[in-house]
Amino acid sequence: MNLKDDLGPILISSQQIHQRVVQLGAEITHNYQDSDLVLVSILKGGTVFLADLMREIKIPLTIDFMCISSYGLSSDKYGVVRITKDLDQSIESRDVIIVEDIIDTGLTLRYILKNLRAREPKSLEVCTLLDKSARRIADIKIKYKGFDIKDKYVVGYGLDYRQQKRNLPHIYELDESLLKS
Ligand code: IMP
Ligand code: MG
């Protein structure tokens, strides 16, 4: 098994990602002057993006992590999500940005937003690297977005296929034949 097995073409190169992350970091830096900023990353896919984005934000901030498990699409618990690791810090009266790898149906994020909103942060926004809006079910307001992508399964830069391929520096389409099997 090789890391590059089962890949389709590169969809977004590491250089393109870097350029966009720099822009997003500058935008967030500008918008959050004198605030109490907390970046919340959703494990595990959002971690690579978080690591790069936080270093492009030039104001004080803290980071925190949440891990959730969702039931599969075939399950009758469609859209039901469970928190398996919660935040370490209180977010009450603080400025929170959720940092996500990709928003697909939006069901995961809808649950997280509802859950975090109940903790009464001062502000709550979403920053996602990728927006796959073709399959959106939940209406989510996305304040910061890296790229819009088509309805393709993608891997690399934190995104996995069966827990593998997160360590690829570019974002690739997955070989289509793999998804049919
Ligand atoms: P949603 O609840 O359908 O928006 O699911 C979002 C989550 O599904 C993301 O945070 C990813 O973990 C995963 N996901 C959705 N699309 C892809 C993809 O193309 N590649 C890898 N993971 C994906
Ligand atoms: Mg994710």
Side-chain angles (χ1 to χ4, degrees), residues 42 46 49 98-103 108-109 112 127-130:
I42 313 300
F49 181 37
I98 301 173
V99 178
E100 258 284 39
D101 49 358
I102 184 166
I103 305 175
T108 313
L109 204 55
I112 293 169
C127 177
T128 186
L129 181 66
L130 305 177

Side-chain angles (χ1 to χ4, degrees), residues 100-108 132 152-154 159-160:
E100 258 284 39
D101 49 358
I102 184 166
I103 305 175
D104 185 10
T105 64
L107 291 171
T108 313
K132 192 156 72 176
K152 297 269 183 194
Y153 196 89
V154 293
L159 293 142
D160 75 300

